[in-house]
Amino acid sequence: MPAKFSRQFSSINAAICAGILLLAASAPVLARPSAMKLLPEETLLLVRTPSVGDLLDRLRETATGRMVRDPQLAPLVERLYGGAGDLYSEKVAEWLGVSWEELKDLPRAEVAFAIVARRDYKPAFVLLVDQGDAPSVAKRMLDSVLERIKEDGGETTTETIEGVEVTVVREGDNQDHTVGIFERENTIVAATDPGLLREILQHWNASGDGELASASVDEVEAETTEATNSASPDKEPAADQTPQYSGRTLAENNEFVTILRHCRRAHDPPPNIIFYVDPIGLIRQFNRDNAGMSVAMATFPALGIDGLAGIGATMTFSTGRYDGLSHLHVLLDNPRSGVMQVIAFEPGDTTPEPWVFADLETYFTWNWNVRTSFNTIRSLVDRFQYEGATDKFVAEHLSEEWGINFETDVIDNVAGRFSWMIGYEKPARFRGQQSTIALKVGDQAAAEKTLATILAKFPERTEERKFGDVTYHAFVIDWPEELRDDPPSTPFVAVMDGYLFLGGSCQLFEQAIAARDGTVDRLADVPAYQQLAVEVEQEAPGVTPAVWMYNRPEESLRQWYDLLTSEKTKEYLAEHAEGNPFFAALSESLAANELPPFDVIAGYMTPSVGVIYDTDTGFHGISFTLREETEPTP
């Protein structure tokens, strides 16, 4: 097999995916079973949208979609759009055989990408694209890709599988370098295993004449619970086909069904995107030939890692009062064991502390039983090493080196509340995003004593500073000369108001002190935050969250706006514009003053909130952004 073809074949999956994923964009009702009833039960990963057309329409109506249509942003958008077109024409158009302008006429229907486990080979990749009823360039794109493969020495044959003509591309007898493609009822399906295509077609045929066709693509939960007449496990395979799959569909996969039921409440709007992954299954499948990983994977049951049964999510955009609504479910075995007990979230208070300032970008807070986690880690480590191994390590590498009793002075003094703030230093700089984490302590005097003991071991590495009535310690770092004008961080450590603080910015910590003292605004007093807190209570009634998440995209936008409008950034873009269409378009736009005032863009930026709480089947999360009535400026 020519070396050139081998190189081309290694990227064939990505090339086909890149082409076909551009082909979707609205069929409210399928004339066939959904991807969830075509894919085998052995599916390890699924990313699916019932209608890309509906997805794109809804994204267009989100705050971001309306923002890019604002007339004051039109010059910048047009320049960047043209830059993207130039980049596509240069890098992709020749391979796909479709011009940038022709991409506007792509179809609008269901798209699904999946990874499916195989018994004897590496997992197979599959891509399903329903072209809908509109004229499509899909066929020409596929023909272009296949023609290039043949020109590079690939072996292309045509086979009939379950009564459907399938084009198969092979690299010799290498089962991991095979791609099969068919088109049926204006739906294109491509997979790296012709046997997988056989399974899909068997499920398709078993659906009968419309038995499953009446199900709307939006009736997700119904699709996963409705009985299906898929090919049965005892159906005899073709003589030349090694059975790889159970004959059951993904819609009959218990883990998938359980996750999707949690992520689709009865009153929720139909999701635009569904995601599902079996992470442990993926690790096992992709490392079956790796001796080292095989040894590591043999420890999974004893460690309790197998207790992670799956992760799934649904996302819906621009519907009802939501700009975006997402659910996440981490499915865990019950009872939990091993490392799954290390994740010791507990319900608790999530009200922002007085020192949480208002103009941050992100605020996380969570409640965690540190003692439970530490005991679990000790038990697991000692099981695989020897009794007392953890205590020996802690004594020699933490307690003795720091001059403290780590377990009693640190572990037992952590009260369980953690808070994490992300903000930006002023004036704006490229390394201006910094984080501060705070751990609530049970005994502040004991925490201060422990910190003083540790710092005394390294007197040359910190310097004492004071802001207001708070004394804190800044770390002394000798940055290389090229970083001294814009250091990556100015780290510090402190104890204040019952919390141990550790962060990367002295400036932001002093801002937290100012918030505590009431000289800058506090997050808890912001009306928009208070409204979201009320909304969370309505979304998760009776639930006490273990984790609370809050995000203000306006602050990250402000950071980048200030950077883009600075002379230093304009000079950098101008210097690197040659050969980079995107930089060139952005540089030209900034030179022409085509960026509108910040308030125009900021009006579209709305905060989001999310919570995570424990359930009998694992951890569940809900996050959302409320819709704003901001309209494009006339």
Side-chain angles (χ1 to χ4, degrees):
M1 190 63 59
K4 182 179 181 182
F5 170 67
S6 183
R7 291 193 301 271
Q8 293 282 5
F9 204 98
S10 65
S11 60
I12 181 176
N13 299 334
I16 292 177
C17 291
I20 301 179
L21 279 174
L22 295 171
L23 300 177
S26 149
V29 177
L30 291 174
R32 55 165 177 78
S34 74
M36 296 180 292
K37 286 194 170 182
L38 294 178
L39 292 166
E41 181 182 32
E42 293 81 5
T43 299
L44 301 174
L45 179 143
L46 171 71
V47 182
R48 179 216 181 216
T49 175
S51 169
V52 178
D54 184 50
L55 171 62
L56 295 178
D57 290 343
R58 290 180 180 274
L59 288 174
R60 178 180 170 84
E61 295 306 316
T62 62
T64 302
R66 289 181 287 117
M67 180 183 70
V68 299
R69 302 200 312 275
D70 192 303
Q72 296 189 65
L73 275 171
L76 174 62
V77 173
E78 289 174 2
R79 284 188 188 272
L80 296 180
Y81 180 83
D86 293 342
L87 193 61
Y88 172 87
S89 299
E90 178 184 344
K91 304 292 185 180
V92 184
E94 183 179 0
W95 172 262
L96 294 180
V98 176
S99 71
W100 177 251
E101 291 302 318
E102 288 174 317
L103 291 179
K104 297 178 181 179
D105 300 323
L106 296 172
R108 303 161 60 87
E110 181 188 23
V111 169
F113 171 76
I115 299 177
V116 182
R118 295 193 291 176
R119 182 172 299 121
D120 302 315
Y121 305 102
K122 290 183 179 180
F125 296 82
V126 59
L127 181 68
L128 178 149
V129 177
D130 189 332
Q131 300 181 81
D133 299 326
S136 169
V137 295
K139 186 65 175 174
R140 184 149 54 87
M141 294 173 74
L142 280 176
D143 288 344
S144 175
V145 172
L146 293 174
E147 185 61 33
R148 286 186 171 274
I149 291 172
K150 288 191 289 185
E151 290 175 359
D152 291 332
E155 178 185 347
T156 303
T157 60
T158 301
E159 302 177 10
T160 299
I161 299 178
E162 296 293 318
V164 176
E165 185 177 281
V166 178
T167 300
V168 180
V169 184
R170 289 189 175 90
E171 181 185 355
D173 296 328
N174 191 334
Q175 291 293 329
D176 290 326
H177 282 185
T178 302
V179 174
I181 305 169
F182 73 79
E183 181 178 356
R184 179 179 179 179
E185 298 177 19
N186 217 26
T187 298
I188 295 174
V189 182
T192 57
D193 176 15
L196 176 55
L197 295 182
R198 183 185 301 277
E199 181 83 0
I200 289 172
L201 287 167
Q202 287 174 349
H203 293 159
W204 200 324
N205 292 336
S207 67
D209 297 328
E211 177 185 349
L212 302 177
S214 61
S216 165
V217 298
D218 290 335
E219 295 171 348
V220 180
E221 188 177 48
E223 288 187 352
T224 61
T225 56
E226 177 187 348
T228 178
N229 294 325
S230 302
S232 60
D234 58 354
K235 180 176 180 179
E236 288 295 326
D240 61 345
Q241 180 66 27
T242 302
Q244 292 282 340
Y245 311 105
S246 66
R248 292 163 56 87
T249 69
L250 178 60
E252 297 172 286
N253 182 310
N254 290 333
E255 287 76 16
F256 175 73
V257 171
T258 300
I259 288 173
L260 206 54
R261 283 175 177 168
H262 278 85
C263 291
R264 175 76 194 282
R265 301 171 302 183
H267 62 278
D268 283 340
N272 298 119
I273 296 175
I274 296 172
F275 170 79
Y276 164 75
V277 63
D278 175 0
I280 305 305
L282 283 176
I283 293 173
R284 291 188 183 280
Q285 286 288 315
F286 279 106
N287 292 279
R288 65 168 72 214
D289 298 327
N290 185 317
M293 278 301 298
S294 295
V295 173
M297 290 186 294
T299 67
F300 282 7
L303 289 171
I305 295 176
D306 281 356
L308 176 57
I311 302 172
T314 58
M315 289 171 277
T316 310
F317 304 97
S318 187
T319 179
R321 60 195 179 120
Y322 300 110
D323 197 61
L325 171 67
S326 300
H327 285 272
L328 170 71
H329 197 77
V330 180
L331 185 63
L332 303 174
D333 285 350
N334 192 0
R336 298 168 197 172
S337 63
V339 295
M340 296 306 152
Q341 292 179 305
V342 174
I343 309 172
F345 285 137
E346 293 184 335
D349 184 21
T350 55
T351 305
E353 297 89 343
W355 38 261
V356 180
F357 50 87
D359 62 344
L360 45 66
E361 178 204 63
T362 303
Y363 171 65
F364 284 92
T365 188
W366 64 95
N367 293 275
W368 187 292
N369 192 318
V370 177
R371 168 51 71 181
T372 296
S373 298
F374 183 81
N375 288 345
T376 302
I377 293 171
R378 173 160 52 196
S379 175
L380 291 171
V381 172
D382 288 2
R383 182 188 307 176
F384 284 90
Q385 293 192 12
Y386 55 87
E387 188 70 26
T390 305
D391 291 342
K392 183 175 184 296
F393 175 87
V394 169
E396 294 178 353
H397 297 280
L398 297 176
S399 296
E400 291 180 10
E401 289 190 13
W402 293 355
I404 63 172
N405 185 317
F406 179 80
E407 190 167 347
T408 58
D409 295 340
V410 177
I411 298 298
D412 289 335
N413 199 25
V414 176
R417 174 78 183 270
F418 294 75
S419 292
W420 181 18
M421 299 183 294
I422 301 175
Y424 292 92
E425 295 180 334
K426 304 292 189 301
R429 61 189 186 93
F430 280 105
R431 299 183 179 90
Q433 185 188 65
Q434 298 293 336
S435 297
T436 301
I437 188 167
L439 295 71
K440 189 173 184 179
V441 297
D443 185 332
Q444 176 166 328
E448 291 173 342
K449 181 180 179 181
T450 299
L451 178 61
T453 301
I454 296 174
L455 294 179
K457 294 282 186 178
F458 314 99
E460 73 286 354
R461 298 186 184 179
T462 62
E463 65 179 20
E464 188 174 284
R465 296 185 183 181
K466 191 166 185 177
F467 186 84
D469 63 353
V470 177
T471 299
Y472 69 96
H473 302 269
F475 288 92
V476 177
I477 300 176
D478 185 17
W479 297 108
E481 185 175 351
E482 62 271 18
L483 296 177
R484 288 174 186 171
D485 292 336
D486 187 16
S489 63
T490 55
F492 72 93
V493 64
V495 176
M496 179 184 76
D497 293 1
Y499 282 80
L500 172 68
F501 291 80
L502 183 65
S505 171
C506 293
Q507 180 190 123
L508 294 184
F509 179 59
E510 292 180 357
Q511 189 172 350
I513 298 173
R516 183 205 67 164
D517 294 343
T519 56
V520 302
D521 292 338
R522 298 170 178 172
L523 178 62
D525 297 331
V526 176
Y529 180 88
Q530 294 172 344
Q531 179 189 3
L532 286 174
V534 172
E535 296 287 344
V536 168
E537 293 179 0
Q538 296 177 1
E539 283 298 321
V543 170
T544 302
V547 181
W548 179 281
M549 303 164 286
Y550 174 76
N551 179 260
R552 294 177 64 247
E554 177 182 343
E555 281 305 303
S556 54
L557 177 65
R558 188 191 309 275
Q559 158 83 356
W560 289 107
Y561 186 95
D562 290 345
L563 286 173
L564 286 174
T565 54
S566 70
E567 291 302 319
K568 185 176 181 179
T569 301
K570 291 179 180 179
E571 293 173 3
Y572 177 87
L573 291 174
E575 292 173 0
H576 295 80
E578 185 176 352
N580 190 314
F582 181 82
F583 276 13
L586 188 57
S587 178
E588 292 171 4
S589 182
L590 293 174
N593 294 317
E594 292 175 345
L595 201 61
F598 177 75
D599 289 346
V600 172
I601 307 175
Y604 294 98
M605 297 291 101
T606 54
S608 63
V609 68
V611 295
I612 296 176
Y613 53 93
D614 204 349
T615 73
D616 290 340
T617 61
F619 295 109
H620 189 77
I622 305 174
S623 63
F624 57 86
T625 304
L626 297 180
R627 288 173 61 82
E628 292 284 345
E629 299 303 324
T630 307
E631 296 294 336
T633 306

